[in-house]
């Protein structure tokens, strides 16, 4: 019987169709409608010689073992369904899931470091913890920060990775992915696609080799799962699986189930929230209390804006929007990056990347646009009065 991982559709399907059916193609022939959750940590096998051969094969290539599962740290059927679905949506050969987005990025850096390629070329802004991981050299990496035009000049013989985030966290700055990929030469380009999701952009179509997701955000979509993933070719996926097995940054099966369920509504959620976000961006841009609004050309459900008054008063003044970190949930969230998500980045570097002290980041959910706008405006009223 074909598994959800190996079975492919007979023709190219639309993104909305893949979102609903990818990773589930084998369910009907098994008499199932909803994907099962496999919570086993280990699996019986009476043939230890065969198990040894399968483990040897995994150690050589990182390819998933044929036949039944072996051990949960090596792979899980429920998580595999999510990986299959994400690869289909991103247009890659494979995807590898991790316990968080930072675990996923760490695995990529470890893969390259294992080949003696510890140097990373990166473009700011990035998510604050990604920036810190590179700057602090916590995994033995060395980073050269540059703008997109300087990527080619920054490359070295030991460059193992070029990293960009577009739209970027939190300024929503965009880069020309095709031009960046061309500048990378033989160095693989990793694009953090968390904000855009495959609904708005598929980086591999522009030359990227690796696509990073904090799956905690839009892929899960409901603020109840912590996860990360890398979509890539099968060769790189094999190395990522080996690092995941060795380091233990595995995704829990229940999280895999929730992510697969989240993908089914991803196109609907992203498009609906993006429509609301575009309207909010338009209205805020006309508000005299707002100095500047950032909104990506490709659209999306994120809006960033800088206020003339105290941004902390806006955070404290919202009533419908939740003041909290993270993003991509069905409910709207607002936060002050300089105080939270990017606090760990050096203040000078932070401001140099466009993350001003008056910048607010709004993750737009599925509420009515009028209700959201009323809430943000009344918070600005409080700020203006205090100012």
């Amino acid at each position: 019987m074909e598994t959800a991982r190996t079975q492919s559709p007979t023709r190219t399907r639309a993104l909305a169709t893949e979102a609903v059916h990818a990773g589930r193609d084998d369910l009907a022939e098994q008499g199932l409608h909803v994907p099962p959750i496999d919570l086993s940590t280990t699996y019986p096998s009476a043939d230890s010689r065969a198990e040894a051969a399968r483990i040897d094969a995994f150690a050589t290539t990182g390819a998933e073992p044929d036949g039944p599962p072996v051990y949960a740290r090596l792979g899980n059927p429920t998580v595999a369904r999510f990986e299959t679905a994400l690869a289909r949506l991103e247009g890659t050969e494979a995807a590898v899931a991790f316990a968080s987005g930072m675990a996923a990025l760490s695995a990529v850096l470890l893969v390259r470091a294992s080949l003696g390629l510890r140097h990373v070329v990166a473009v700011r802004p990035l998510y604050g913890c990604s920036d810190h991981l590179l700057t602090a050299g916590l995994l033995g990496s060395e980073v050269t920060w540059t703008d997109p035009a300087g990527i080619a000049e920054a490359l070295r013989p030991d460059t193992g990775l070029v990293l960009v985030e577009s739209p970027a966290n939190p300024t929503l700055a965009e880069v020309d992915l095709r031009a960046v990929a061309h500048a990378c030469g033989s160095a693989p380009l990793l694009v953090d696609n968390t904000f855009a999701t495959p609904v708005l952009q598929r980086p591999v179509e522009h030359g990227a080799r690796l696509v990073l997701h904090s799956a905690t955000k839009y892929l899960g979509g409901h603020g109840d799962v912590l996860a990360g993933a890398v979509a890539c070719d099968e060769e790189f996926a094999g190395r990522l699986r080996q690092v995941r097995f060795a380091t233990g940054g595995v995704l829990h099966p229940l999280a895999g189930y929730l992510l697969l369920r989240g993908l089914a509504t991803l196109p609907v959620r992203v498009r609906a929230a993006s429509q609301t976000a575009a309207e909010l961006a338009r209205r805020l841009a006309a508000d005299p209390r707002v100095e500047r609004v950032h909104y990506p050309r490709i659209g999306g459900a994120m809006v960033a804006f800088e206020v003339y008054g105290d941004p902390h008063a806006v955070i404290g003044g919202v009533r419908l929007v939740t003041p909290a970190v993270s993003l991509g949930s069905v409910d709207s969230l607002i936060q002050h990056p300089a105080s939270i998500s990017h606090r760990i980045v050096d203040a000078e570097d932070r401001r140099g990347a466009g993350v001003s002290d008056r910048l607010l980041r709004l993750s737009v959910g599925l509420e009515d646009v009028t209700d959201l706008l009323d809430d943000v405006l009344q918070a600005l009223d409080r700020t203006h009065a205090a100012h």
Side-chain angles (χ1 to χ4, degrees), residues 168-254:
N169 187 352
T171 65
L172 307 178
E174 296 170 273
V175 300
D176 183 337
L177 294 182
R178 194 173 299 278
V180 167
H182 179 74
C184 290
S186 60
L189 171 63
L190 183 152
V191 176
D192 188 329
N193 203 34
T194 298
F195 278 22
T197 81
V199 177
L200 301 179
Q201 139 183 305
R202 304 213 296 182
V204 294
E205 295 177 350
H206 301 281
R209 184 180 179 187
L210 309 168
V211 182
L212 176 69
H213 281 279
S214 172
T216 307
K217 313 304 193 295
Y218 289 104
L219 303 190
H222 292 75
D224 55 7
V225 60
L226 193 69
V230 179
C232 56
D233 57 75
E234 177 56 35
E235 179 186 357
F236 206 98
R239 293 187 176 275
L240 288 173
R241 294 185 196 108
Q242 290 174 323
V243 169
R244 182 177 64 181
F245 175 73
T247 60
V250 296
L251 185 67
H252 191 275
L254 179 58

Side-chain angles (χ1 to χ4, degrees), residues 111-131:
V111 166
R112 302 307 282 166
S114 71
L115 301 174
L117 303 172
R118 298 180 177 275
H119 180 240
V120 178
V121 175
V123 176
R124 282 188 171 119
L126 295 176
Y127 168 54
C129 287
S130 299
D131 189 309

Side-chain angles (χ1 to χ4, degrees), residues 36-290:
I37 305 175
D38 188 331
L39 295 173
S40 295
T41 57
T42 191
Y43 300 86
S45 176
D47 189 345
S48 56
R49 289 187 180 89
E51 289 296 80
R54 293 206 297 158
I55 291 173
D56 286 346
F58 176 81
T60 302
T61 66
E64 292 186 295
D66 294 328
V70 178
Y71 183 59
R73 187 153 47 85
L74 200 128
N76 172 270
T78 307
V79 172
R81 290 183 179 277
F82 162 67
E83 292 172 331
T84 296
L86 179 59
R88 294 267 189 87
L89 293 180
E90 283 289 3
T92 58
E93 293 177 343
V96 183
F98 294 86
S100 70
M102 292 309 301
L105 177 58
S106 296
V108 172
L109 295 174
L110 289 172
V111 166
R112 302 307 282 166
S114 71
L115 301 174
L117 303 172
R118 298 180 177 275
H119 180 240
V120 178
V121 175
V123 176
R124 282 188 171 119
L126 295 176
Y127 168 54
C129 287
S130 299
D131 189 309
H132 176 67
L133 180 65
L134 295 174
T135 303
L138 296 176
L139 296 177
S141 59
E142 179 185 348
V143 62
T144 297
W145 296 102
T146 184
D147 58 29
I151 289 175
E153 185 177 350
L155 297 175
R156 304 187 330 203
D158 64 337
T159 300
L161 190 70
V162 177
L163 174 58
V164 301
E165 184 175 1
S166 182
N169 187 352
T171 65
L172 307 178
E174 296 170 273
V175 300
D176 183 337
L177 294 182
R178 194 173 299 278
V180 167
H182 179 74
C184 290
S186 60
L189 171 63
L190 183 152
V191 176
D192 188 329
N193 203 34
T194 298
F195 278 22
T197 81
V199 177
L200 301 179
Q201 139 183 305
R202 304 213 296 182
V204 294
E205 295 177 350
H206 301 281
R209 184 180 179 187
L210 309 168
V211 182
L212 176 69
H213 281 279
S214 172
T216 307
K217 313 304 193 295
Y218 289 104
L219 303 190
H222 292 75
D224 55 7
V225 60
L226 193 69
V230 179
C232 56
D233 57 75
E234 177 56 35
E235 179 186 357
F236 206 98
R239 293 187 176 275
L240 288 173
R241 294 185 196 108
Q242 290 174 323
V243 169
R244 182 177 64 181
F245 175 73
T247 60
V250 296
L251 185 67
H252 191 275
L254 179 58
Y257 172 85
L258 291 173
L259 288 168
L260 185 63
R261 187 177 69 171
L263 288 184
T265 60
L266 178 66
V268 176
R269 287 186 286 106
V270 169
R271 288 166 182 155
S274 297
Q275 184 176 1
T276 300
E279 177 62 14
L280 286 175
R282 186 184 69 83
R283 296 290 296 273
L284 288 173
D287 194 297
R289 295 162 298 184
V290 175

